[in-house]
Amino acid sequence: MRSAIRPALLVALTATAACAQGPTAPTTVAGQFEAFWKTFDREYSYFAYKGINWDSLGAVFRPRAAEAATTADLVLIVKEVLAPLRDVHAWFVTPTGATEPSFVPTAQRNWDREIWLATTRACNHTQVKPNLGYCRIDGIAYVTIGAWDSRQFAVADLDAVVNAAQDATAMIVDVRPNGGGNDALAMAFAGRFATARIVASYVRYRDGARHDEFGRETARYLEPRGTFRFTRPVIVLAGRGVFSSNETFVSAMRELPNVTILGDTTGGSSGNPRLHALGNGWRYAVPRWIEWTADRRVIEWSGIPPDVFVPWDPALVAAGRDPVLEAALARLR
C-alpha cells in the first residue's frame, strides 16, 4: 500500500497505459505550442464547465512560448497555461517516462500511512499483491486497495479476497489512498456486491468545435458477477485522496442498497485522458469526457460526498488512531 501524497502522479502512473496516443508532434517549439493549444481546444471536456477562456490563455502565453529555447522550457510555460484548469488528469510524461503533473491537489486526506501500518500489523493483514490485502477485525473483513493497478494484480486476485470474506459478518473496503487506475478492475470488484444490473455513472465525450459540444450520453453499468455476491453490510472508506477510476468505483458502490460510503468527499477528478506527443520525447494528457454519478452529480471539482461524514480529528490522529476506520467499525459492531 503506497502513500498517495501526490495523487496526481498516482493517477498518471496507473492510468497512462489505458490512454490513447495522439499524432506525431511538430519539430519547432512554436509549432509544438500551437499543436498543444489546438489539441486542447478540440478535445478538452471541461472548458465550459469551468468557465475557462482558452482563446485568452493562448493569446497571453503564445509570445512567451515562441521564445522558449527547448521543449523542456516550453513545458514550464504550458504548465502555467494549464494551471487555471486545476485538472489532475492534465499531466506530462518526460522523455524518460516519468510523469509530471500540471496540478497537485492540496486538500487534507483522511488517511495516514503509519497508522494504517499499525492497524494492519495488529489484524495480521494478508498482503495478496502490491496495493491489495485483507484481514479480519472482530469478524469484519477489512479489505485495502491502494490502486486499481492491473500491473500489480488481476480480477482473480480481487475475487480471491471477496471469496475469503464469504463468511464475514460485514466488510470494510478502504480505498482512501487510491488515486485511480484501471476502471475495469474497479468495476469487476464492485460487481461482486451487486445483485442486479444498475447504472454506475454517465459519461459524454467532447465532440465538436465549440467547447460545449459533446457526443451522446453513455451510461456505464455495473454488472453482478462471481460465484456469489456479498450482500451483507459493506462500508466503503473514501476521502480526498480518491480520484479518477476510484471515483467511478465509489459512484457504483453508493448505488447498492447494502453499501454505505463513509469518510469525506472524494477528490473530484474524472477525465479519461488521451496522450499526445508534444515533441522531443515529451507527451501530455488531455481529458476528454465529463462523468456524472448516477444521480447526475458532475464528479470533476465536486467529488462524491459520503453518506456519513467523519472528520479527520487531529487529536485522534496524533494519538495514532484512525477516526474513519473506528467510525466504520463502530457502525458495523
Side-chain angles (χ1 to χ4, degrees):
M1 199 81 149
R2 59 183 162 182
S3 174
I5 294 175
R6 299 184 71 182
L9 289 183
L10 176 57
V11 173
L13 286 167
T14 56
T16 296
C19 296
Q21 178 67 56
T24 305
T27 55
T28 67
V29 174
Q32 289 165 6
F33 178 83
E34 254 347 278
F36 154 81
W37 187 90
K38 289 178 181 178
T39 299
F40 257 86
D41 187 60
R42 180 178 64 251
E43 294 188 6
Y44 186 66
S45 51
Y46 291 109
F47 285 131
Y49 171 72
K50 295 179 178 179
I52 301 296
N53 188 327
W54 191 239
D55 289 331
S56 176
L57 286 171
V60 169
F61 286 95
R62 191 170 282 108
R64 286 181 55 192
E67 295 176 358
T70 66
T71 304
D73 293 335
L74 177 64
V75 169
L76 297 176
I77 296 170
V78 168
K79 285 182 180 180
E80 292 185 56
V81 180
L82 295 177
L85 276 55
R86 291 189 288 121
D87 197 316
V88 166
H89 285 95
W91 72 76
F92 296 86
V93 182
T94 72
T96 62
T99 57
E100 292 187 6
S102 68
F103 169 66
V104 178
T106 58
Q108 172 68 57
R109 292 189 314 138
N110 59 353
W111 184 81
D112 181 273
R113 179 178 173 80
E114 295 306 315
I115 294 175
W116 177 83
L117 287 172
T119 299
T120 53
R121 282 193 295 267
C123 70
N124 296 316
H125 183 263
T126 298
Q127 193 74 35
V128 179
K129 292 288 177 69
N131 277 314
L132 176 64
Y134 68 93
C135 67
R136 294 284 181 101
I137 303 175
D138 296 343
I140 299 166
Y142 175 53
V143 178
T144 55
I145 306 172
W148 299 108
D149 194 338
S150 54
R151 298 166 302 179
Q152 296 178 332
F153 56 82
V155 172
D157 300 309
L158 292 166
D159 284 342
V161 169
V162 178
N163 294 342
Q166 186 168 2
D167 63 340
T169 58
M171 184 184 295
I172 296 172
V173 181
D174 194 345
V175 293
R176 287 174 291 171
N178 186 328
N182 188 330
D183 60 5
L185 284 178
M187 294 295 274
F189 183 69
R192 295 300 305 270
F193 304 91
T195 57
R197 186 177 192 245
I198 63 166
V199 173
S201 66
Y202 298 95
V203 297
R204 292 183 71 186
Y205 283 89
R206 257 296 296 280
D207 183 18
R210 293 206 326 259
H211 292 167
D212 59 354
E213 288 185 307
F214 290 83
R216 66 179 179 84
E217 179 179 272
T218 302
R220 307 185 76 196
Y221 289 96
L222 177 62
E223 305 278 357
R225 54 171 300 278
T227 55
F228 76 95
R229 262 64 61 199
F230 191 96
T231 57
R232 297 188 182 97
V234 176
I235 292 181
V236 175
L237 306 186
R240 300 291 182 175
V242 171
F243 292 93
S244 195
S245 59
N246 199 25
E247 291 183 280
T248 301
F249 171 73
V250 171
S251 181
M253 293 292 284
R254 73 196 290 260
E255 297 304 311
L256 302 178
N258 62 316
V259 176
T260 300
I261 311 300
L262 183 145
D264 200 353
T265 301
T266 62
S269 183
S270 177
N272 197 322
R274 172 184 170 96
L275 278 175
H276 292 268
L278 180 63
N280 295 317
W282 284 88
R283 292 179 292 166
Y284 60 96
V286 185
R288 299 174 296 154
W289 77 16
I290 294 180
E291 184 174 18
W292 292 261
T293 58
D295 59 352
R296 303 291 179 173
R297 174 186 293 269
V298 177
I299 294 174
E300 182 77 8
W301 278 11
S302 299
I304 304 170
D307 299 312
V308 179
F309 171 73
V310 177
W312 189 239
D313 189 329
L316 292 180
V317 174
R321 295 169 58 184
D322 185 336
V324 178
L325 178 58
E326 288 185 9
L329 289 167
R331 288 179 67 87
L332 294 174
R333 285 168 179 151

